[in-house]
């Protein structure tokens, strides 16, 4: 960003010097056109970085959503295992203990 800003300032100074030294308007306009193109590149570069950051944020969000879903699934699985244990395993454990006594 700083390099682009420095280059833009340089183009501005050059075009101003050219005007002060009697350069043709068409020559000054070429330099100013380059400055404008540089500004467009800077805006595009900034937009590209923002787009990339947004993509990364979307990836992080998707990952967190996936982790949250896995956590919910694990909680549901744990609840299901608890119900199975209470319904089937626990009564058999009691029966085995009674038989061993």
């Amino acid at each position: 960003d700083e390099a682009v800003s420095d280059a833009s300032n340089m183009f501005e100074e050059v075009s101003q010097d050219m005007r002060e030294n009697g350069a043709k308007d068409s020559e000054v306009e070429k330099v100013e056109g380059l400055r404008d193109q540089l500004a467009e590149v800077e805006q595009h570069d900034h937009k590209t970085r923002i787009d990339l950051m947004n993509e990364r944020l979307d990836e992080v969000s998707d990952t967190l959503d996936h982790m949250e879903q896995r956590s919910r699934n694990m909680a549901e699985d744990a609840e299901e295992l608890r119900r199975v244990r209470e319904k089937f395993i626990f009564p058999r454990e009691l029966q085995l203990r009674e038989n061993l006594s």
Side-chain angles (χ1 to χ4, degrees):
D1 288 345
E2 190 174 322
V4 173
S5 179
D6 289 346
S8 181
N9 290 338
M10 181 201 67
F11 278 118
E12 186 65 37
E13 290 171 8
V14 168
S15 65
Q16 189 174 5
D17 287 346
M18 290 173 70
R19 284 188 195 283
E20 290 172 0
N21 292 314
K24 294 180 183 176
D25 285 343
S26 62
E27 293 172 335
V28 174
E29 287 171 2
K30 285 180 185 178
V31 171
E32 290 174 343
L34 291 172
R35 182 198 62 212
D36 294 343
Q37 287 176 3
L38 182 64
E40 287 177 27
V41 167
E42 180 183 24
Q43 287 176 344
H44 180 267
D45 184 49
H46 183 69
K47 183 181 182 308
T48 300
R49 281 185 274 141
I50 289 173
D51 289 344
L52 290 173
M53 288 173 54
N54 284 333
E55 286 176 17
R56 297 300 167 264
L57 289 173
D58 288 344
E59 290 172 9
V60 168
S61 179
D62 290 347
T63 300
L64 291 174
D65 289 346
H66 180 72
M67 291 172 68
E68 184 180 353
Q69 183 60 46
R70 283 182 50 202
S71 178
R72 278 196 300 271
N73 290 348
M74 289 172 65
E76 290 171 3
D77 290 346
E79 180 61 24
E80 182 63 26
L81 287 173
R82 185 188 62 75
R83 282 192 293 254
V84 167
R85 182 173 185 270
E86 287 176 359
K87 187 172 184 179
F88 299 106
I89 297 172
F90 186 66
R92 290 189 180 146
E93 284 178 4
L94 285 177
Q95 187 178 23
L96 281 174
R97 288 180 190 192
E98 287 176 8
N99 291 345
L100 292 175
S101 300

